[in-house]
Amino acid sequence: MRPSGRDLDQMRAVSIETGFTKHAEGSCLIKMGDTHVLCTATIEDRVPPFIKGSGLGWVTAEYGMLPRATNTRMRREAAMGKQGGRTVEIQRLIGRALRAGVDRVALGERQISIDCDVLQADGGTRCASITGGWVALRLAVNKLMKTGEVKIDPLVDPVAAVSCGIYAGQPVLDLDYPEDSEAGVDGNFIMTGSGQLIEVQMSAEGSMFSREQMNTLMDLATKGTAELAELQEAACA
C-alpha cells in the first residue's frame, strides 16, 4: 500500500493553470499533488555568445525554491551568495530537456528563458518544472507565431517528465516525498509526447535493481509522460 493510497501505476492529481502571471510571454502554475511550481517564459532578442551569428535559437532555464516550499525554512540562495550544486544541476537539466523538443533553426536567433519557482515541494519538483516549463514555452512560441516573428512551429514534440521508483519492494509511478525519501530505487524519466527518451536519471538508494525492474519502471514512465502530454496539449489548446 502506498502512503497516499494510490495504485502502483497511478499519478498524483495533476492540474495546469495557464496565464498565471500578467507580464510573462508564457506562464502556468503546475500542480502535481502537493508539489506546486510556477513556470514562466520570457522571449529575449539575444542569444549566448557561443551561438551568436549562427541563426540558431536557444532555450535556457533557471530553477529555485521559495524558503518555505518545504516543511522547514531554507535560506535564500541569494543570501548565501551563490547557487547550490543541486539548483545548478536541476536548471541545467530543465534547459537541455526542453531544448530537445525544439527546432532551434525554426526558432531563429532568439532566446527563451524558462523560470521555474517551486512554491511548494512534495517530491518531483524537477519533473514538474520540466512539464510545466514546456507549457510556458509553448505559450510563448504561440505568441511569436501569432505575430509572424516565427513562421514554422519550432516545437517538434512536447516534453514531459515523471519520477518512478521502487518503494517497499514495488515499482511505483510518480513518487511523492514520503515515497521518495524511502525509495530503494529512484529515477527521473524525461520523454517526448511521442514516447522518445530524452534523459533518464536513475540510481539505487540502498538496494540494487534488476533489468526486469528497470523495464517495468520504463513502462510506468511511458504511461505517466503520455498522460502528462495529454494534459499539456489540453492546457495549451
Side-chain angles (χ1 to χ4, degrees):
M1 176 66 69
R2 304 178 71 175
S4 62
R6 288 181 285 148
D7 293 335
L8 300 180
D9 65 347
Q10 184 179 356
M11 296 277 294
R12 290 174 287 181
V14 181
S15 66
I16 304 174
E17 181 182 349
T18 58
F20 194 76
T21 64
K22 176 180 179 180
H23 301 293
E25 282 77 34
S27 70
C28 75
L29 176 67
I30 182 168
K31 297 181 179 180
M32 296 182 70
D34 285 334
T35 289
H36 302 170
V37 184
L38 171 62
C39 303
T40 58
T42 302
I43 301 168
E44 301 173 280
D45 290 323
R46 64 181 182 89
V47 291
F50 63 86
I51 59 170
K52 191 172 183 179
S54 67
L56 297 174
W58 190 248
V59 176
T60 188
E62 292 188 12
Y63 167 96
M65 297 180 68
L66 295 185
R68 282 314 305 267
T70 54
N71 60 352
T72 58
R73 186 182 187 276
M74 300 178 296
R75 289 187 64 196
R76 295 182 189 271
E77 290 182 322
M80 295 186 287
K82 66 175 183 178
Q83 289 181 310
R86 177 182 180 274
T87 297
V88 173
E89 183 265 326
I90 290 176
Q91 62 190 26
R92 287 177 176 171
L93 170 67
I94 298 167
R96 66 178 179 265
L98 296 178
R99 285 194 297 273
V102 177
D103 179 343
R104 291 167 55 203
V105 174
L107 180 59
E109 200 164 315
R110 59 176 54 84
Q111 175 171 288
I112 301 181
S113 297
I114 308 297
D115 288 292
C116 302
D117 293 290
V118 180
L119 309 182
Q120 182 171 284
D122 187 43
T125 61
R126 71 188 68 194
C127 293
S129 296
I130 291 168
T131 304
W134 187 89
V135 171
L137 177 62
R138 171 78 272 175
L139 296 172
V141 167
N142 286 349
K143 290 191 175 183
L144 287 171
M145 295 183 67
K146 186 175 181 179
T147 61
E149 296 175 76
V150 170
K151 305 297 183 184
I152 300 172
D153 189 355
L155 300 190
V156 295
D157 212 353
V159 175
V162 70
S163 64
C164 297
I166 298 177
Y167 172 79
Q170 295 289 332
V172 296
L173 173 63
D174 189 23
L175 283 71
D176 54 25
Y177 181 75
E179 293 170 332
D180 188 30
S181 61
E182 296 185 11
V185 176
D186 183 19
N188 298 302
F189 298 79
I190 307 167
M191 303 178 73
T192 67
S194 59
Q196 296 295 300
L197 280 168
I198 295 174
E199 188 161 339
V200 176
Q201 298 179 328
M202 192 168 173
S203 61
E205 302 279 351
S207 64
M208 294 178 287
F209 56 98
S210 67
R211 181 68 170 268
E212 182 181 1
Q213 287 174 315
M214 182 175 179
N215 290 340
T216 300
L217 294 176
M218 280 294 313
D219 291 341
L220 289 173
T222 301
K223 176 182 182 294
T225 52
E227 292 175 8
L228 291 171
E230 290 182 3
L231 291 170
Q232 288 173 322
E233 183 178 0
C236 296

